Amino acid sequence: MTHDPSQQHSSNWVSFTYASFAGSVAMVALGIVFMPIDIWLKGYFAMGTVMLIQSCVTMTKTVRDVHESRRMVNRIEDARTERLLMTAGKE
């Protein structure tokens, strides 16, 4: 089975991922709000959580960008090789 790189996610899957993200953020936020600790500790946990989410998004985008750039380089190399083979076959 080959993987089609242009295949798009279904709308149900996209909705599920958004709902999962929103649900997890809500659960963590409620956990921090109702945690029996001082307000400054709650702020510390909230800032840490926001930084963790931001870092995950940044890392995911970076990994995806690196993958996409390698795929593009491979496509360019394949095209060059194909052109070289075509010109060598004509001679």
Side-chain angles (χ1 to χ4, degrees):
M1 175 181 236
T2 60
H3 176 69
D4 182 9
S6 64
Q7 183 179 5
Q8 297 296 317
H9 293 295
S10 70
S11 61
N12 289 336
W13 176 252
V14 173
S15 297
F16 172 75
T17 58
Y18 286 137
S20 296
F21 178 77
S24 63
V25 168
M27 286 187 281
V28 170
L30 286 171
I32 290 172
V33 167
F34 291 114
M35 198 178 295
I37 55 175
D38 293 333
I39 189 75
W40 67 272
L41 278 172
K42 289 180 183 184
Y44 177 79
F45 284 137
M47 286 189 309
T49 302
V50 169
M51 298 263 321
L52 179 63
I53 292 170
Q54 184 268 331
S55 297
C56 288
V57 169
T58 303
M59 182 181 66
T60 302
K61 182 177 178 350
T62 301
V63 168
R64 181 66 182 188
D65 288 348
V66 168
H67 172 74
E68 289 291 324
S69 69
R70 286 182 182 158
R71 197 172 92 192
M72 183 59 72
V73 167
N74 288 339
R75 292 174 111 188
I76 292 170
E77 289 297 323
D78 289 345
R80 285 181 182 162
T81 303
E82 186 176 332
R83 187 176 60 189
L84 180 63
L85 289 173
M86 287 176 60
T87 58
K90 291 180 182 179
E91 294 175 1

